[in-house]
Amino acid sequence: MYLTRFRLNTARSGTRKLLASPQAMHAAVMASFPTLLPSAADRPRVLWRVDRTSRAEVFLHIVSPPKPDLTHLAEQAGWPTQPEWQTHDYTPFLSGLAKGDVWAFRLTANPVHTIRRRPGEPTKPTAHVTPRHQRDWLLRRQDAAGFRVVEKPVEQRRLPEGDEYELVIHNRQRHEFTKRTSKGTVSLVTVTFDGRLEVTDPNALRRTLTMGLGRAKAYGCGLMTLAPVG
């Protein structure tokens, strides 16, 4: 497995086009793997996520089984004379995860639930739109995903309810676009979770980090990354 980080040049029109469309970004990411056939049913999972930093920098993160070649992205959305991407072997880090470890994490996800609007109708995925429901969406999945979100000490909680966890939910976005393979319209709500977690099941967490969490993985959702606390 490989973890790649690529800095996007926001002054370029190609970058703005990619950032405006999860579908266009997905196509650009998948073009980084010439050995992967787009239509292959057993194609390995490739995860990606766009992050914006406090210094107004924008980074593309990719987790993938094969090593990517981002030359085309550097030409379209980077600095062609100074390609700025780093690819690291992810396997040593994944292998070193241990129960009880505490990490800072980031996850951009598509929190949804299935509802039936009228009796007799099929269920339909519907986005969670409130921070409380989005938080609960993550908490319901943490055990199976191999971690638990760290709880705050009671004396550090600013509110009597809703401030129990080391967790911040931000960067809510709504995307709508037409799929290239059909005339259907995709409506997608994404949010970013920043927080701290404790590893409860290293094997399950490795699956989460390499296979993703939740829906809409092709559109920049599901990729969780870890960083040292502090």
Side-chain angles (χ1 to χ4, degrees):
M1 296 298 296
Y2 293 93
L3 174 63
T4 300
R5 188 175 81 155
F6 173 79
R7 185 182 174 195
L8 293 158
N9 183 349
T10 56
R12 304 191 65 176
S13 60
T15 302
R16 293 192 290 271
K17 178 183 177 181
L18 293 176
L19 293 177
S21 170
Q23 185 168 226
M25 185 66 83
H26 169 69
V29 168
M30 295 312 299
S32 305
F33 305 96
T35 61
L36 298 185
L37 299 177
S39 60
D42 59 347
R43 186 178 66 186
R45 169 66 65 188
V46 174
L47 302 172
W48 63 271
R49 187 186 75 222
V50 172
D51 285 351
R52 292 165 174 80
T53 73
S54 58
R55 296 191 299 174
E57 296 171 322
V58 181
F59 290 94
L60 170 67
H61 296 268
I62 302 172
V63 167
S64 57
K67 192 174 184 178
D69 180 351
L70 304 186
T71 303
H72 67 294
L73 269 175
E75 294 172 348
Q76 177 184 1
W79 288 263
T81 60
Q82 300 179 27
E84 291 198 9
W85 81 82
Q86 303 86 37
T87 297
H88 303 282
D89 185 354
Y90 206 17
T91 303
F93 176 81
L94 295 171
S95 300
L97 292 173
K99 186 174 181 179
D101 287 350
V102 176
W103 295 92
F105 75 90
R106 171 166 288 184
L107 166 70
T108 293
N110 170 226
V112 298
H113 63 301
T114 54
I115 62 173
R116 181 176 284 109
R117 297 184 183 276
R118 296 182 180 85
E121 286 188 350
T123 58
K124 181 180 180 181
T126 303
H128 287 302
V129 295
T130 67
R132 180 173 67 86
H133 287 108
Q134 291 163 350
R135 178 203 65 183
D136 291 346
W137 175 91
L138 179 63
L139 296 178
R140 285 195 298 272
R141 285 157 178 77
Q142 62 180 351
D143 290 339
F147 67 90
R148 69 171 185 87
V149 179
V150 175
E151 293 189 33
K152 289 183 179 179
V154 175
E155 62 272 14
Q156 293 182 13
R157 299 176 187 178
R158 299 179 181 179
L159 301 171
E161 186 176 353
D163 193 31
E164 300 92 343
Y165 297 93
E166 295 277 358
L167 184 66
V168 176
I169 302 171
H170 62 100
N171 195 31
R172 180 182 181 273
Q173 297 187 59
R174 179 180 291 276
H175 305 274
E176 289 193 2
F177 52 90
T178 301
K179 295 186 69 173
R180 294 176 179 174
T181 55
S182 69
K183 295 182 180 180
T185 299
V186 176
S187 180
L188 189 67
V189 173
T190 66
V191 297
T192 297
F193 300 92
D194 283 340
R196 294 186 180 186
L197 62 77
E198 179 182 342
V199 180
T200 57
D201 184 336
N203 287 331
L205 184 56
R206 290 183 193 104
R207 288 194 299 272
T208 299
L209 296 176
T210 56
M211 299 301 293
L213 186 63
R215 294 172 175 260
K217 297 181 182 71
Y219 302 127
C221 297
L223 172 56
M224 174 183 280
T225 53
L226 306 182
V229 171

